[in-house]
Amino acid sequence: MAIGKKRKGGDVKLTSRKLFAFAGALALSSAALVGVGSAGAFAGASGKGPAARHSPKAAKFVGCMVTDTGGIDDRSFNASSWQGMTEAKAADPNITVKYLQSKSTSTYVPNINAFIAQKCGIIVTVGFLMGTATEAAAKAHPTQKFAIVDYTYKPPFKNIDALVFNTVQDGFLGGYLAAGMTKTGKVATYGGMKLPTVTIYMDGFWDGVRYYNNVHHTKVKVLGWTERTQTGEFTGTFTNQTKGETVTKTFISEGADIIFPVAGNVGLGSAKAVQNADNAGGHVNMFWVDTDGCISAAQYCKYFITSVTKGIQSAVKNAVLSAAHGTYKGGNYIGTLANGGVLLAPFHLWTKRVPASLKAQLKRVELGIIHGKIPTPTKSPV
Amino acid sequence: MSSELADQAEETAKSEDGPPSPATGGDGRPGARGFTEALLDAVTSGNTVTVTVLAFLCAIFLGGLIIAFTNTTVLHAWGNLFSAPGKAFATAWDTAAGAYVAMFEGAIVNPHAVSAAFHGGPVSTVFNPLSETAVNATPIILTGLAVAVAFRAGLFNIGAASQFIGGAMIAGWIGFAVHLPFILHAAVAVAGGLVGGAVVGGAVGFLKARTGAHEVIVTIMSNYVMEYLLLYLLGLTAFRRPGNPNPISPPIATNAVLPHLFGSTLRVNVGFLIALAAAAAVWWVLNRTTIGFELRTVGSNPRAARSAGMSPERTWIVVMLLAGALAGLAGAAVVQGTNFNVAPQIYGTYTVDSITVALLGRASPTGTVLASLLFGALRAGGVTMQASTQVPVDIVTVIEALIVLFVAAPPLMRAVFRLREPRAGGGEQLEARGWGG
Amino acid sequence: MELKLRGVTKRFGSLVANDHIDLDVAAGEIHALLGENGAGKTTLMNVLYGLTQPDEGEIEVDGRRVRFRSPKDAIDAGIGMVHQHFMLVPVFTVAENVVLGREPTKPFGLLDRRRARGEVQDLSNRYGLSIDPDAYVEHLPVGVQQRVEIVKALIRQANVLILDEPTAVLTPNETQELFRIMRELKASGRSILFISHKLKEVQAVADTVTVLRRGRVVGSPPPSATDAELATLMVGRDVELRVHKEPAEPGDVVLVVDGLVVRDETGRIAVDGVSLEVRAGEILGVAGVQGNGQTELCKALMGLLPVDRGMVAVGGRDLTRASTRAVLGAGVSYIPEDRQEDGLVESFSVAENLVLDVYDRRPFSSGISLRPDRVRDAARTSMAEFDIRAGSIEVPAKTLSGGNQQKLIVARELSRETRVLLANQPTRGLDVGSIEFVHRRIVANRDAGSAVVIVSSELDEIYALSDRIAVMYEGKIVGVVPPTTPATELGLLMAGATSTRGEEGLPGEEGLPGEEVSEVQPA
């Protein structure tokens, strides 16, 4: 600041000019990067240019999605939902899809309204935060079809397809698998924030480990979560990967050799910590969450024993297709192991390393859960 | 006492007192002027209306380039630049112009809606863009004032979000847990929001006055504290919807909703009036009261304030109470005006927004309102732009950032536009003034 | 190098800042440019340094006509300037600062530090500047920073050196050191244009004097001219260098200080058991070399520093631990030592500054509501009464010259009923005209019945105003003497020679009205 003010010193002025020019260039290039990033994501996904506005010609059905503030590349529920949208489009050439990203919680309403004005065939909203806005819009526009991810209504709405996932079930399978795979007798999980959609996984994981211990008389310990007290480790963010790395390092130093992050992008920090530990000769691996990690974070596939997923993708795809094909019914949908709405992802590179006996046991546990013989209690029911 | 006049004179004077010495702080004592004072000085007298307008135009131009050249169609057309140069330029122009037209239609007026209204369509849709602009601007005005007023007292309030949350929690709780008649319920909830924000802000002022804790650190930390407190509260059954495990509060009672100003189809509500009234009140306090006089004195020269019998400590507490109250009102306005419940992340990006508009508005109430309306328009337009052209809404953030960048770098602006730099000439004006005879 | 200015004229609107100025600076001379604040000295220097272009007239260097479009042209022609406010980067070393903008480089654009240091060292040795090229500027005292500026000019081959009010920021010792350096530079054949309004300095160092008044050259007296002659020429009328005052007629004791102990901000005891009594209608001058606790004494009296031990009372009311507001409310007016830091808010208008410590009283406010109309009315009255020269009551105080800023503070503090006036260095840095004005006002305030305490490190001022003189040394009052005490005696007291002198008894200690033994505190 002082330098900038020194106008009488001709010698210094030049320097300040340079400085500002440099700062300007820097800001521009970073701004451009942001622009490229988002625009690229958009262009790649929807495949339509700005012309979309002027050419509703060929398409007979428009599927619309309002994302939460994370946007469609959050590697989490927004990304999965958008994946479902594009799959619906791929399945039926009469369908086009587009999305609006919410800048903040107060843009849910205008975004939904913008799509209502555009007469979308179905409007998909993502996340419980949009529950109220979606409900209000559905009441005001009873003929408009909606779907919402991760939220249910009591009583259900005829024009909202509420999609929730009982991830305590596959979380349970994950816990059982982890307990079967650990060498150190310690496994760990942590959450991004203490939200029901997060802790339901952790409850399942905890129960799964405990069930394994009961069956096999082992004493595998779970770090980072206690179902009974509902206390554990949370990073407080779904985006800051450094925090995931830190917390994972701590778990590893405490002896855990399988980490289960339930924290969206923060999990990438865990993957980095696991990779570092692996490079240093440690035998640490992890699970991915929500989506199949070998697809969404393929660079770390060799560390993913499996992924504890929920089928947002196929549920959204089905909702869009049903609306397009006139089979839409609305109401609440709960994804379970039984209907394939939640499941453990394939083992990929670990197929040979997971013992066949363990795989067989997992199959039996899965059937037990499906038939209600093995209870999967949770304090965060869907 | 006209602050406008004083501001202008200050601007001319800025260049007059010769080059200040970085080594001695301009008066022979090292470090006589702190960072905050220098920043305050730069904010309140650094940029002119011209620079702001030019900065806006530059940002729009560069934003247009980004819109055009991140679009696959445009890039493809430019790939064939030599075979079809006209098409390359035309596509780029159409893309950028289309986005901006949509933005204008979403923020100011949509000609289609106007012509539709003439043919019997709903009149309200004509005013919907302006209504959206006002709705978007409301919390930004209030949080911006919270930063601006603290700025004038020499404090850097980076805690708009925390104070916002304080206000939103109380206003929301009164909204859903208490039962009162119409109007009274809304008024009590707004007052609760004001108090909630004031408590959070006042705590910062108190800590600074009592312990000397720097307000920058305390406000940043208070943001975290309040974000987690909000999450914690939303985890309690008292703050949650019955039978719903999600951390989201019950909807507020209809009686607590701020009434719409122009019918239910337009979202603009009493919150906007509250924001404008708050801006007027801040102006009055700053320029027409002893409290404002103390506040500005402490902000401009705490040592002189002390010598004049003022208590900077007391002023810090007062101004942070005031700032907190303003941000708390923003929380109430959002909960009662647009969101109707309390949920995580309700504080949005108000911390950064508030600082930005306060800087753009030169920490004056009028300037803050104008800057907030600009930002409100960009955001309202951003929704329409994204919806009708699918240009990512992030471009709005880019444009906002560019405006600030250009405003923050007046030398860059002067260089680009070859504006005459106010230079040595002033030195003699100074003398001429003291001349008299 | 010879420098000639012929008919240089510079106008700003209707104001003629420089009106056909002729100036000849010969090689190897120190040429003083004497004038009050606002006489057009700085404008002329800006013209000469290429910061402003003159409307008329021409500049010749060694008989060749030149036009300076920018400071670079002036530097190329061999003109160097040391501004009042330095243009140094605090976090750079001396050598780095000196070469900034014309850095000697090695291949690949690397800064040739060794060469930079060598050049600085050479110049420092040649002119006895004692500058360490590796010292960081922010750690250097102001006097040394000034020498760095001189080196900056010299290294750019300056043959004519313009020094703009160079002594304003210096201590007396640093001033003497500067004068020595100026003579060294002169001996090496360089010319120095020395801008000042201090008569004694001009007399001490200049070879030639040009006096400027209202933009015109009004004379070129020899440096041997007397104070009075120079002052008359400068101000345009006869100036009372020593204000006329009647003998004091002391009334009741108003201000009582008893055994006051005060620590400074670092916790060191700065005021060590001071006891004083000041009566209505008398001026007590507190003499002493700066930094002997005077500032802390004033601050403690004003409630700006906490009192460790002892007592302060005004008119029988105990104010030992009172807030500043309470002290002001008890009728104490305060002219602080540092007007820009403590006395004014520079960004505020003249009108606002005139109510800075009375804004919360009637008629300027009622309740919390300010009355801008009343503030403006009062400001207009004060501006006329105290001859504050400013564009209007709305211009920011920072646009005022130092003298007018001080008049503003005096106006504010004396425009209300005062029982005690406490003035710390009331005329530091002011030109003779302003000094005269402030002194007259202070005496008038005494005659109106205030108990006045003047703290000053300038003996001239102490003698001009005081009815009694208290000498402060290392936080103690080492003697209270009448104003008839010879300067040599006073000087010895100020240097701390009390233990012996105090016992011997000071001349004139007897016969002081209201003098009490307790006031003499032998160290």
Side-chain angles (χ1 to χ4, degrees):
Chain A
M1 174 149 292
I3 290 184
K5 276 186 176 177
K6 293 168 63 170
R7 7 190 139 72
K8 289 190 187 172
D11 42 0
V12 189
K13 192 163 68 185
L14 196 71
T15 323
S16 69
R17 281 259 168 82
K18 276 183 198 160
L19 196 72
F20 278 118
F22 174 71
L26 198 70
L28 288 190
S29 50
S30 53
L33 273 178
V34 172
V36 170
S38 341
F42 148 71
S46 98
K48 283 206 114 220
R53 161 169 202 245
H54 306 292
S55 59
K57 43 182 177 36
K60 293 181 183 78
F61 184 90
V62 188
C64 302
M65 180 179 121
V66 180
T67 79
D68 203 343
T69 50
I72 56 157
D73 42 8
D74 69 341
R75 286 174 217 255
S76 181
F77 57 173
N78 289 304
S80 305
S81 305
W82 183 241
Q83 196 70 37
M85 299 290 286
T86 52
E87 280 178 12
K89 177 185 171 236
D92 182 343
N94 270 344
I95 296 175
T96 57
V97 291
K98 55 170 151 182
Y99 74 90
L100 287 178
Q101 183 181 339
S102 299
K103 286 280 291 178
S104 71
T105 54
S106 45
T107 51
Y108 297 153
V109 173
N111 277 341
I112 293 172
N113 286 344
F115 273 151
I116 291 172
Q118 293 189 4
K119 313 214 182 315
C120 290
I122 185 170
I123 298 171
V124 180
T125 58
V126 185
F128 73 88
L129 287 175
M130 258 180 274
T132 318
T134 310
E135 179 179 345
K139 277 181 182 158
H141 303 272
T143 57
Q144 172 70 55
K145 297 186 182 74
F146 290 92
I148 184 165
V149 176
D150 272 352
Y151 197 78
T152 53
Y153 295 97
K154 284 171 211 162
F157 280 82
K158 272 200 157 59
N159 61 334
I160 304 180
D161 221 347
L163 315 171
V164 291
F165 305 89
N166 198 13
T167 48
V168 69
Q169 297 187 341
D170 54 341
F172 190 102
L173 290 182
Y176 191 93
L177 173 64
M181 292 295 289
T182 179
K183 300 276 185 291
T184 60
K186 281 180 188 164
V187 297
T189 181
Y190 68 90
M193 283 185 194
K194 200 174 169 184
L195 302 176
T197 47
V198 170
T199 51
I200 185 174
Y201 273 118
M202 296 162 81
D203 280 350
F205 187 80
W206 201 82
D207 285 337
V209 171
R210 219 173 48 158
Y211 183 78
Y212 183 94
N213 283 342
N214 283 343
V215 171
H216 296 272
H217 308 292
T218 50
K219 284 188 176 154
V220 176
K221 269 186 76 180
V222 179
L223 308 180
W225 184 244
T226 310
E227 185 181 14
R228 189 171 24 84
T229 58
Q230 294 283 301
T231 53
E233 202 69 48
F234 292 91
T235 53
T237 161
F238 289 104
T239 48
N240 188 344
Q241 298 175 15
T242 318
K243 291 198 175 164
E245 195 177 341
T246 314
V247 74
T248 304
K249 267 191 207 155
T250 314
F251 284 144
I252 293 172
S253 70
E254 286 170 6
D257 65 346
I258 294 174
I259 318 289
F260 177 40
V262 190
N265 258 349
V266 173
L268 292 174
S270 286
K272 198 161 171 226
V274 167
Q275 187 177 41
N276 287 341
D278 185 61
N279 290 343
H283 295 282
V284 185
N285 296 289
M286 64 186 288
F287 293 171
W288 193 249
V289 75
D290 282 340
T291 58
D292 187 341
C294 281
I295 295 165
S296 53
Q299 70 271 35
Y300 295 116
C301 185
K302 63 185 274 209
Y303 304 114
F304 297 149
I305 300 174
T306 184
S307 302
V308 184
T309 72
K310 57 182 179 187
I312 293 179
Q313 214 165 301
S314 57
V316 168
K317 175 185 169 188
N318 290 337
V320 174
L321 288 176
S322 69
H325 300 149
T327 55
Y328 176 94
K329 282 199 214 59
N332 295 337
Y333 160 88
I334 299 175
T336 58
L337 286 175
N339 64 16
V342 300
L343 70 160
L344 281 190
F347 296 118
H348 295 284
L349 302 173
W350 282 77
T351 312
K352 296 224 170 76
R353 295 166 66 185
V354 178
S357 62
L358 189 54
K359 284 180 188 162
Q361 290 169 34
L362 275 174
K363 201 73 216 162
R364 281 201 297 279
V365 173
E366 182 174 351
L367 286 172
I369 294 172
I370 289 172
H371 295 125
K373 285 180 193 138
I374 300 174
T376 53
T378 173
K379 300 234 164 103
S380 309
V382 293
Chain B
M1 295 284 280
S2 151
S3 64
E4 290 297 309
L5 248 177
D7 273 0
Q8 271 175 23
E10 193 175 327
E11 222 159 88
T12 30
K14 195 81 200 118
S15 53
E16 290 169 8
D17 44 7
S21 151
T24 60
D27 56 3
R29 263 180 323 280
R33 287 177 62 78
F35 167 76
T36 319
E37 283 166 72
L39 186 68
L40 182 69
D41 222 38
V43 168
T44 50
S45 57
N47 57 77
T48 64
V49 174
T50 324
V51 168
T52 311
V53 170
L54 292 176
F56 176 70
L57 293 177
C58 272
I60 288 290
F61 175 73
L62 285 170
L65 288 183
I66 294 169
I67 293 171
F69 288 96
T70 51
N71 182 289
T72 43
T73 321
V74 175
L75 289 176
H76 182 75
W78 277 72
N80 302 324
L81 178 64
F82 295 108
S83 53
K87 183 158 185 283
F89 282 98
T91 328
W93 170 260
D94 287 348
T95 307
Y100 283 133
V101 165
M103 203 185 257
F104 180 84
E105 288 171 358
I108 313 290
V109 67
N110 185 341
H112 304 300
V114 175
S115 68
F118 275 114
H119 296 93
V123 179
S124 68
T125 53
V126 176
F127 296 103
N128 191 52
L130 287 176
S131 159
E132 283 300 307
T133 294
V135 166
N136 276 291
T138 301
I140 307 181
I141 292 175
L142 287 164
T143 51
L145 288 171
V147 175
V149 79
F151 240 137
R152 296 298 284 268
L155 299 186
F156 206 170
N157 177 13
I158 313 186
S162 65
Q163 298 141 21
F164 179 99
I165 295 170
M169 283 187 329
I170 305 285
W173 185 81
I174 294 175
F176 67 73
V178 177
H179 297 285
L180 288 168
F182 181 60
I183 298 293
L184 184 66
H185 197 174
V188 168
V190 167
L194 187 145
V195 171
V199 167
V200 178
V204 174
F206 180 80
L207 285 174
K208 183 178 173 75
R210 268 301 165 86
T211 68
H214 200 288
E215 80 280 359
V216 165
I217 294 170
V218 179
T219 47
I220 291 176
M221 290 304 150
S222 74
N223 285 343
Y224 286 110
V225 170
M226 291 306 290
E227 283 168 25
Y228 285 109
L229 179 63
L230 175 67
L231 265 182
Y232 171 76
L233 286 181
L234 289 171
L236 302 178
T237 28
F239 251 86
R240 252 183 355 211
R241 299 177 184 205
N244 189 325
N246 286 306
I248 188 163
S249 82
I252 59 169
T254 337
N255 284 350
V257 170
L258 291 173
H260 286 125
L261 289 177
F262 306 106
S264 62
T265 45
L266 296 178
R267 288 208 301 156
V268 62
N269 56 65
V270 172
F272 185 60
L273 296 186
I274 292 176
L276 294 183
V282 166
W283 182 90
W284 181 76
V285 166
L286 280 177
N287 297 296
R288 289 285 184 274
T289 67
T290 54
I291 298 165
F293 191 80
E294 284 169 21
L295 199 152
R296 288 185 292 127
T297 307
V298 168
S300 305
N301 186 344
R303 280 179 58 178
R306 246 183 244 283
S307 294
M310 302 172 190
S311 160
E313 288 78 13
R314 199 184 76 108
T315 306
W316 291 333
I317 297 176
V318 168
V319 76
M320 284 313 295
L321 280 170
L322 185 60
L326 288 162
L329 279 178
V334 166
V335 169
Q336 298 176 251
T338 53
N339 285 27
F340 311 122
N341 61 41
V342 186
Q345 286 160 38
I346 191 169
Y347 45 86
T349 54
Y350 294 125
T351 302
V352 178
D353 297 345
S354 59
I355 296 169
T356 314
V357 295
L359 287 172
L360 268 184
R362 301 170 59 192
S364 86
T366 326
T368 304
V369 169
L370 292 176
S372 304
L373 286 173
L374 174 66
F375 272 42
L378 284 171
R379 301 213 169 159
V383 169
T384 311
M385 177 190 73
Q386 186 182 222
S388 53
T389 68
Q390 288 275 289
V391 169
V393 73
D394 294 311
I395 199 74
V396 170
T397 314
V398 173
I399 290 172
E400 286 171 4
L402 287 172
I403 294 173
V404 175
L405 175 77
F406 285 130
V407 167
L412 183 69
M413 285 287 91
R414 287 201 199 94
V416 171
F417 292 100
R418 315 229 167 243
L419 295 184
R420 208 174 62 85
E421 198 170 343
R423 35 182 320 173
E428 291 78 13
Q429 268 175 5
L430 164 72
E431 288 203 349
R433 252 198 215 114
W435 183 272
Chain C
M1 191 173 85
E2 248 188 339
L3 184 70
K4 274 190 178 35
L5 270 65
R6 287 287 169 267
V8 168
T9 301
K10 180 73 191 175
R11 296 184 194 86
F12 293 106
S14 59
L15 280 156
V16 189
N18 285 164
D19 189 356
H20 293 92
I21 294 204
D22 296 337
L23 192 70
D24 288 286
V25 183
E29 73 163 0
I30 298 179
H31 191 126
L33 199 59
L34 187 64
E36 284 204 277
N37 293 332
K41 296 170 299 194
T42 306
T43 306
L44 190 63
M45 291 310 105
N46 286 343
V47 166
L48 202 47
Y49 197 54
L51 286 164
T52 331
Q53 274 67 51
D55 300 319
E56 287 171 37
E58 50 198 54
I59 305 171
E60 282 179 21
V61 172
D62 287 335
R64 205 163 35 83
R65 269 191 65 179
V66 289
R67 260 189 90 83
F68 299 149
R69 282 180 193 81
S70 72
K72 189 177 171 300
D73 293 348
I75 292 166
D76 290 345
I79 293 173
M81 182 140 171
V82 175
H83 294 274
Q84 234 182 86
H85 300 301
F86 310 139
M87 322 220 327
L88 301 171
V89 183
V91 294
F92 281 10
T93 66
V94 169
E96 285 165 346
N97 264 290
V98 166
V99 298
L100 195 66
R102 50 175 297 283
E103 302 87 349
T105 49
K106 292 190 282 196
F108 308 114
L110 294 171
L111 181 63
D112 191 344
R113 276 168 207 282
R114 188 181 301 175
R115 213 176 103 201
R117 294 180 56 240
E119 288 178 23
V120 174
Q121 196 67 61
D122 279 355
L123 283 167
S124 174
N125 293 344
R126 192 165 349 139
Y127 298 108
L129 303 178
S130 4
I131 298 178
D132 173 9
D134 296 323
Y136 285 92
V137 162
E138 60 187 340
H139 299 147
L140 296 177
V142 175
V144 182
Q145 290 189 13
Q146 190 173 57
R147 281 181 245 153
V148 176
E149 285 282 7
I150 294 175
V151 170
K152 256 172 84 176
L154 293 179
I155 219 160
R156 289 164 175 75
Q157 319 289 329
N159 279 316
V160 176
L161 207 57
I162 305 171
L163 304 179
D164 187 7
E165 305 266 4
T167 60
V169 291
L170 300 185
T171 64
N173 281 340
E174 286 175 328
T175 303
Q176 289 311 314
E177 186 62 18
L178 174 69
F179 287 172
R180 187 187 60 71
I181 293 166
M182 284 166 70
R183 292 190 189 101
E184 294 264 356
L185 290 168
K186 180 174 91 171
S188 75
R190 291 183 168 84
S191 323
I192 293 173
L193 204 49
F194 172 57
I195 305 179
S196 182
H197 61 245
K198 291 187 184 169
L199 307 177
K200 291 221 161 57
E201 292 177 358
V202 169
Q203 289 164 333
V205 79
D207 299 313
T208 327
V209 182
T210 299
V211 182
L212 234 53
R213 191 171 76 232
R214 299 202 198 174
R216 289 206 187 90
V217 174
V218 291
S220 300
S224 55
T226 64
D227 286 7
E229 285 166 354
L230 289 176
T232 305
L233 207 51
M234 195 163 102
V235 181
R237 60 181 161 83
D238 285 341
V239 180
E240 287 181 74
L241 287 175
R242 195 145 183 186
V243 67
H244 174 76
K245 68 179 172 68
E246 302 293 329
E249 291 172 18
D252 297 336
V253 172
V254 177
L255 173 68
V256 179
V257 180
D258 187 30
L260 196 69
V261 177
V262 180
R263 289 171 191 277
D264 65 12
E265 271 100 358
T266 63
R268 191 181 60 92
I269 289 187
V271 177
D272 192 0
V274 165
S275 299
L276 289 170
E277 281 188 1
V278 188
R279 292 172 181 270
E282 71 161 344
I283 298 179
L284 175 75
V286 177
V289 177
Q290 251 204 301
N292 275 290
Q294 302 98 315
T295 302
E296 288 78 8
L297 174 63
C298 290
K299 287 192 167 176
L301 295 183
M302 290 309 298
L304 292 165
L305 267 184
V307 171
D308 228 38
R309 260 180 291 132
M311 191 271 290
V312 178
V314 170
R317 195 172 141 204
D318 186 354
L319 291 177
T320 311
R321 278 173 182 79
S323 69
T324 308
R325 177 158 290 178
V327 174
L328 291 167
V332 180
S333 283
Y334 177 48
I335 301 175
E337 178 180 13
D338 188 328
R339 57 177 163 270
Q340 290 172 350
E341 282 297 323
D342 293 319
L344 291 172
V345 179
E346 290 203 289
S347 58
F348 277 18
S349 71
V350 171
E352 286 176 308
N353 271 299
L354 279 167
V355 296
L356 204 62
D357 54 8
V358 289
Y359 65 95
D360 55 344
R361 303 186 193 178
R362 287 182 181 280
F364 306 119
S365 61
S366 54
I368 64 158
S369 176
L370 272 185
R371 301 288 303 271
D373 47 336
R374 300 289 169 82
V375 172
R376 278 195 292 266
D377 290 348
R380 281 192 201 99
T381 314
S382 287
M383 233 168 103
E385 189 189 339
F386 287 84
D387 190 30
I388 303 166
R389 294 174 199 180
S392 79
I393 56 166
E394 304 290 359
V395 300
K398 73 171 133 202
T399 63
L400 270 58
S401 68
N404 282 306
Q405 289 184 339
Q406 192 71 357
K407 283 187 202 168
L408 191 163
I409 295 171
V410 170
R412 179 178 74 217
E413 297 304 315
L414 299 189
S415 290
R416 60 173 186 264
E417 205 137 300
T418 60
R419 307 189 68 180
V420 175
L421 171 64
L422 181 59
N424 193 353
Q425 307 283 7
T427 61
R428 177 188 283 170
L430 302 193
D431 56 52
V432 281
S434 304
I435 292 175
E436 182 200 7
F437 181 89
V438 172
H439 281 180
R440 268 199 288 122
R441 280 292 173 169
I442 290 173
V443 171
N445 190 250
R446 174 200 77 170
D447 293 343
S450 288
V452 181
V453 178
I454 303 294
V455 174
S456 181
S457 51
E458 305 234 0
L459 279 185
D460 285 352
E461 183 160 68
I462 290 290
Y463 277 118
L465 292 175
S466 306
D467 299 315
R468 288 188 296 143
I469 301 173
V471 182
M472 220 170 153
Y473 177 73
E474 293 194 337
K476 295 186 169 70
I477 300 288
V478 293
V480 180
V481 298
T484 48
T485 312
T488 45
E489 299 279 354
L490 213 51
L492 281 168
L493 275 176
M494 284 163 66
T498 47
S499 48
T500 51
R501 311 247 358 143
E503 281 155 31
E504 284 166 19
L506 291 159
E509 200 177 6
E510 66 283 353
L512 282 171
E515 170 75 52
E516 286 174 27
V517 186
S518 69
E519 290 181 354
V520 182
Q521 299 272 321

